[in-house]
Amino acid sequence: MRQRIARRLSAAWRTASIPVLSTALALVVAGVVVIASSAFTGNGFQPLLPVGAYLQLFVGAFGSTTAIGNTLVAAAPLMLGGLAVGLGFKAGLFNIGVAGQFLAGAFAAAVVGASLATSTGIVAVPTAFVAGALAGAALGFIPGFLKARTGAHEVVTTIMLNNAIGFLLTWGVTDLVRAPGFSFPRTGDLGNSALPILLGRNLHIGVPIAFLAIFVIRWLLERTTVGFQIRTVGANPNAARYAGMSPLLVITFTMALSGLLAGMAGAVQMLGVIGFYASGISANVGFDSIAVALLGRSNPIGILFAALLFGAFRAGAPLMQITTSVPVEVIDIIEALVILFLAAELIVRRVFRIRAARAVPEEIATVTRTWGEQVAR
Amino acid sequence: MNERPPALEMRGITKRFPGVLANDDITFDVRAGEIHALLGENGAGKTTLMNILYGLVSPDTGEVLVDGTPVTIRDPSNAIAQGIGMVHQHFMLVPVLTVAENVILGQELLRGPFLDLPQAARRIRELATQLGFDVDPDVRIEQLPVGQQQRVEILKAIYRGARILVLDEPTAVLTPQETVEVFTVLRRLQADGAAIVFISHKLEEVLAIADRITVIRRGKVVGTRRPSETSDVDLAVMMVGREVLLRVDRGKSHPGDVVLKTEGLRVKDDRGHEAVRGVDLEVRAGEILGIAGVAGNGQDELVDALVGLRRPAGGKVLLGGAEITGAPTRRIRDLGVAHVPGDRQRFGLVLPYPVEDNLVLTSFDEPPFATGPLNLLRNDAAIDEWSERLIKEFDIRTPSRDVRAATLSGGNQQKIIVAREFRGANRLVILDQPTRGLDVGSIEFIHRRAIEKRDAGTAILLTSADLDEVLELSDRIAVMFRGHIVAIFDAAVAERDRIGLLMAKGGAAAA
């Protein structure tokens, strides 16, 4: 029994070691940046600044029930977005379109939510939420279909769709669904469509939904025949074809499902935090999701922890800025460094003297795969 | 006796991997001007030994001596510095670069800060002439046939000053003609004083080329022989550790109804050229139809079209009288067609998957492996039980059913595919190069299974670039040349030479 636990732990460490150590290394290097830049502030050179800053970051993220609530609320859309990207990686797809699908989900949830503002919550909330999810799915379906049908690379199509959908929604909120009585174009108030608060000030029902999604996707991938097909297409599309699977169908389905998750992220954020759609709402979740999926190694449980980490960064950063005047943008530096170290795994191995056998993780392989290499049709 | 120390000596090499003793106190040497063959089954430890020599793996104990001096080899560049060159089974060439660029890669010839490619090309051409083969340094690797690519690998090693040349299964991917040519090159290198280690599991080859043959089995040296004092049967026993039937007893076939029939089948290859140009074939229940042919004469495209991986450009495919031309793979499989693909790692397996998932790769969504509505749920209990059974029944040597297929030897990987595809009652089994690169033990096993399958009334279509395999297994033999079936023989009256001639020259030779 004990042996089995030990074996599982060591297996878990084998997969988690590089992400964990990359994060540690990123914190150290970002700390150096903080120290170096402190020299240019009014307070002069402060070699111990990062220690204080990280401490405040931690307190801001976990120091109180409110702080923990903030962390969870910030993590929820990242979990869903991370799953969206991670699921794509499993099928060998790089969905950079999560940002656009997130916006589509947020927009649809906002419009439907506002129109149901006076209905009872039991109807309004699920309807608005599902509308957001479906909008994301529809937007994810397009690049999937294009790839399956014409071989158009999803990286190109999703990036272009991100822009197209952003402008389209700006037009929509300006000319089609603009709510009267506000000085700028925005959708109406959500009223009863807002996600119910479960605990404290802001811990909405989207948080348990995101946790649930983690386990549903894990179940889908590991326990169902659909998941088996997704993983097979990702691991060896030739073998998938040989075995009688239809990679094109799987790709289309996976992109739509990935879009659905991204749309859910948008809906959760809209109905639980933002409250109305206006031009220029942040689609950062879309890009952070890529980082979350990479850090989580496309594994749903890994994504859960990565999203919690990034959520904690986001939730704790304001306190760090207020108390130590280290700007919140340091979080962006840390995130960027994490990705850098994950991609340049060799650096991490050198620094920490890891000598285990090296294999290119599937998500990195997907990102770096040459574009000439397409699924045979 | 030769007073000079051997060019290379490995003494008491032991290497243990988790769960396996890959090399157990192996001692081995090769002299300058000698070809020493290392013979063993897949997984016997040959490759580990050579990886130790090349600095890719470090031994637990033992030492390596070059010209009688102990050396430590930490990595491949170290090995190269010691004059050790390695030609890997899977070529380490960059397809989009030219021959010259590949050869100098890592040891670039410079003029100022720039590459001096003309100078490099000149040197390479000289070297090639010396070695007696002709390779155009300016042609891109991807444009070369496999046999030529291998020569580039050899050239690369020699260019880097290798005096000790290790060839890992050099003939695995070559046609018989190319094999003969490589042998000529090796003899010339030998005459020039190179020490050559020739790793193989092909008995005839080592008997033909080697001065000495060392057999290893399960990580241990079984013995060393000279070709003059041994035989293929003798070596096979040493290799496998028991009597091996080099010829499987076939028995008479009892052909039944026509199962597979093609009419004027035409198929295009990836570049849009017609690779199969009007093929008419019939395979009956209970018989093995073998297609002999040099690789690249349309066999791959033919098989692809039969299993639905490639849409025919014309003609018909009939299975039991029903047309399946251009049907999706899935439907063809559901109609009882099993397929052992020619490229097992690219098509037949998902290497990162555990053995058990590979064993259900083509039946994962059928009961009992899938349950629930629309067979949506994976039934682990059934998959576990099934895997355990197949592993035992097909003698798949694996530590357990949940290790990754990538970690198994080629023979055991192929056994996974054969076990999976031979399950149940198939009407047609397509065996595409079923034993390519396998050792005698695995070959015997797979051949025996194929015959059993035939005797159970299954129609079997076999393609192989190995004429001996076709001759041994087939009840009828079709010769394929440039997309045509140029002749069909009854195996009982087939003559090897005649078929060989047809393979090489097509119908013109038969006239």
Side-chain angles (χ1 to χ4, degrees), chain A residues 77 98-114 128-137 139 165 169 173 177 187-188 190 259-272 274-278 281-283 285:
Chain A
V98 171
Q101 293 144 17
F102 172 89
L103 284 183
F107 181 84
V111 171
V112 173
F129 183 81
V130 169
L134 290 179
L139 200 59
I165 197 69
L169 296 181
V173 74
V177 296
T187 57
L190 290 175
L260 184 92
L261 289 161
M264 281 168 70
V268 160
Q269 196 67 350
M270 174 54 60
L271 303 174
I274 309 176
F276 60 86
Y277 192 94
I281 68 161
S282 168
V285 168

Side-chain angles (χ1 to χ4, degrees), chain A residues 151-172:
Chain A
H153 200 287
E154 76 279 5
V155 167
V156 176
T157 50
T158 53
I159 288 178
M160 297 207 295
L161 272 174
N162 278 347
N163 280 306
I165 197 69
F167 288 119
L168 196 70
L169 296 181
T170 299
W171 170 66

Side-chain angles (χ1 to χ4, degrees), chain A residues 219 222-226 228-229 231-232 235-236 238-239 241-245, chain B residues 309 329-330 333 339 345-347 349 353 361 364 375-378 380 420-421:
Chain A
W219 172 83
E222 301 296 329
R223 310 286 323 140
T224 71
T225 50
V226 173
F228 188 75
Q229 296 192 51
R231 289 187 290 125
T232 305
N236 185 349
N238 287 317
R241 251 159 52 83
Y242 154 84
M245 303 175 191
Chain B
L309 286 171
T329 306
R330 186 56 210 247
R333 283 197 164 276
H339 175 204
Q345 302 204 337
R346 226 159 77 79
F347 285 91
L349 296 168
Y353 275 3
L361 188 65
F364 69 98
N375 289 329
L376 213 59
L377 303 179
R378 190 184 150 96
D380 271 344
R420 180 181 76 206
E421 297 301 309

Side-chain angles (χ1 to χ4, degrees), chain B residues 198-257:
Chain B
F198 185 94
I199 303 176
S200 181
H201 55 242
K202 293 192 187 162
L203 302 169
E204 329 83 72
E205 276 177 10
V206 299
L207 284 167
I209 187 87
D211 300 311
R212 277 190 295 162
I213 302 164
T214 291
V215 181
I216 60 179
R217 181 171 79 232
R218 289 173 195 243
K220 276 195 172 116
V221 171
V222 185
T224 301
R225 300 277 185 278
R226 291 188 180 280
S228 53
E229 62 200 23
T230 183
S231 68
D232 54 356
V233 176
D234 190 23
L235 288 175
V237 171
M238 286 170 74
M239 216 167 125
V240 184
R242 61 179 164 83
E243 287 283 348
V244 180
L245 295 170
L246 291 177
R247 308 273 175 275
V248 174
D249 186 18
R250 193 142 54 85
K252 243 184 93 61
S253 70
H254 304 281
D257 297 336

Side-chain angles (χ1 to χ4, degrees), chain B residues 107-120:
Chain B
Q107 299 204 339
E108 291 84 356
L109 202 59
L110 299 179
R111 189 173 55 201
F114 302 107
L115 274 181
D116 191 355
L117 277 174
Q119 170 74 14

Side-chain angles (χ1 to χ4, degrees), chain B residues 4-10 27-37 50 53 65-67 163-166 194-198 211-212:
Chain B
R4 277 180 54 200
L8 171 75
E9 190 174 1
M10 299 181 84
T27 294
F28 174 85
D29 69 75
V30 55
R31 298 179 172 278
E34 181 190 45
I35 300 180
H36 193 158
M50 289 307 121
L53 179 59
L65 296 86
V66 172
D67 293 327
R163 296 169 301 110
I164 302 160
L165 193 62
V166 180
I196 298 173
V197 180
F198 185 94
D211 300 311
R212 277 190 295 162

